[in-house]
Amino acid sequence: MAAVQSKKSIIFILPDLDTGGAERIVTTIANHLPRNLFSVKILLLRKEGGYLDILKDDVEIIDIKTPRIRHSLKPILLEIKKRKPDIVFCGFGEINAYLSLFIPLFPKTKFIARETNVVSRHVKRKEIRFFYRFYSNYHRIICQSDDMMHDLVENFKIRPSKIIKINNPVDFAFIEKQLEISRRPEAFKNDYKNVVAIGNLSSRKGFDNLLKVFSHLKNDKILLHILGDGRDRVLLHQKKEEFGLENVIFHGQQKNPYQFLKYADLFILSSRYEGFPNVLLEAGACGVYALANNCPGGINEIIQPKINGEILAIENHELFAEKILQVLDESHLESLIKESIRSRFSKQFILSQYEKVFNNL
């Protein structure tokens, strides 16, 4: 009789399940790993966030109730010691860094880090950068873009053999469900073109540059809808007043951003750097043409010029404004935009790559 293959136990680690990119990916992987092969748990620093609603019931949540990342290390290590998982998958940069030093304490557990950013651009604090010296302790490091991979090899001396590139997946079934229930937002005006930008209101997302761009479009019938919240909210609202931008609307965080994308005439990514922007993938999955700033983080792996979008340096505000006008004047095939994303980043295609990594450890 053939021996029954024992399940691999896997613990995913995240701060919470708020509606961000890393949280979306981990939720998708946790929901879809085959249960005959894997026993799945998610360790959260705090049990909160919008993705708790879509997480499957059979995924156990370990809530360590420790909101501060710097205080979370000891409880995380105690949980790993107690539960002895086969695999620990950490999906958040700062925790990845701290955890790397302690990996040798658990010789029977395989550790995977999923990098979320171009580290040299994103991590500025010396005490966190210090821990990247131990990053090679990870058995595998998953990067989403070539830019991320090259950065780890060149600036942090990580062996290329440890790094695997897996792009972010797009859950088309989930998005299509959201689009079905989406109604045109009240703030969209019929006689205006409606442009959408989504992201955390922080310097990294470059909304300050985007507001400068829109200061050149004050006389055009174009509305900019910015979705998201963050520490630069007050600053950005002040800039809006300073530039007199009545054509810019801040909507805060939205539970269903897809209703904005469904009816948008254009999506703009203004970031200074990215990891591998889910929001750009999801805009494409909604059939929206995109205009993206030329920044590191896999933008050129997502955008197929003239098919699903274009790339241009946003620092030249006037030129970027002219490009917006030009793009809004053209027509772009929604079906081609969607297919461009589906053929390369569909959930099934990407999830099979993750499964392969877990099986081959």
Side-chain angles (χ1 to χ4, degrees), residues 17 31 41 76-77 86 213 220 232 298 328:
L17 283 180
N31 278 348
K41 298 172 176 63
I76 287 171
L77 294 172
D86 296 304
V213 168
D220 296 281
D232 286 0
L328 287 173

Side-chain angles (χ1 to χ4, degrees), residues 335-357:
S335 57
L336 279 184
I337 297 169
K338 286 184 177 181
E339 191 46 43
S340 158
I341 300 299
R342 193 191 300 271
S343 61
R344 297 175 294 147
F345 308 111
S346 73
K347 184 179 70 188
Q348 290 71 16
F349 176 60
I350 303 293
L351 287 174
S352 65
Q353 295 178 44
Y354 271 104
E355 211 180 305
K356 195 170 161 188
V357 172

Side-chain angles (χ1 to χ4, degrees), residues 25 29 89 112-115 140-146 148-149 163-169 275-276 278 281 301 344-358:
I25 302 308
I29 298 169
F89 180 106
I112 299 172
R114 178 183 173 274
E115 199 42 71
R140 290 288 178 272
I141 299 163
I142 293 173
C143 292
Q144 293 115 65
S145 64
D146 292 331
M148 269 187 186
M149 287 171 64
I163 303 173
I164 296 173
K165 184 177 89 167
I166 304 180
N167 297 137
N168 286 349
F276 195 77
N278 286 305
L281 294 171
E301 294 175 53
R344 297 175 294 147
F345 308 111
S346 73
K347 184 179 70 188
Q348 290 71 16
F349 176 60
I350 303 293
L351 287 174
S352 65
Q353 295 178 44
Y354 271 104
E355 211 180 305
K356 195 170 161 188
V357 172
F358 300 151

Side-chain angles (χ1 to χ4, degrees), residues 136-163:
S136 286
N137 284 338
Y138 278 101
H139 298 86
R140 290 288 178 272
I141 299 163
I142 293 173
C143 292
Q144 293 115 65
S145 64
D146 292 331
D147 290 335
M148 269 187 186
M149 287 171 64
H150 298 152
D151 181 57
L152 285 178
V153 172
E154 286 160 25
N155 297 313
F156 297 91
K157 307 292 176 269
I158 305 293
R159 287 205 310 273
S161 59
K162 290 222 162 183
I163 303 173

Side-chain angles (χ1 to χ4, degrees), residues 254-267:
Q254 294 290 316
K255 196 157 186 172
N256 181 9
Y258 305 103
Q259 64 179 354
F260 287 83
L261 291 171
K262 180 176 180 176
Y263 294 97
D265 297 294
L266 176 67
F267 174 76

Side-chain angles (χ1 to χ4, degrees), residues 15-16 36 38 60 75 93 116 134 179 184 194 198 206 209 216 223 226 270 287-288 294 305 308 312 350 352 355:
D16 53 44
N36 59 328
F38 297 97
E60 184 190 334
T116 52
F134 308 100
L179 292 177
R184 187 179 166 89
N194 291 280
I198 302 174
N209 274 323
H216 295 283
L223 288 178
I226 297 177
S270 54
V288 190
N294 191 6
N308 65 342
L312 191 72
I350 303 293
S352 65
E355 211 180 305

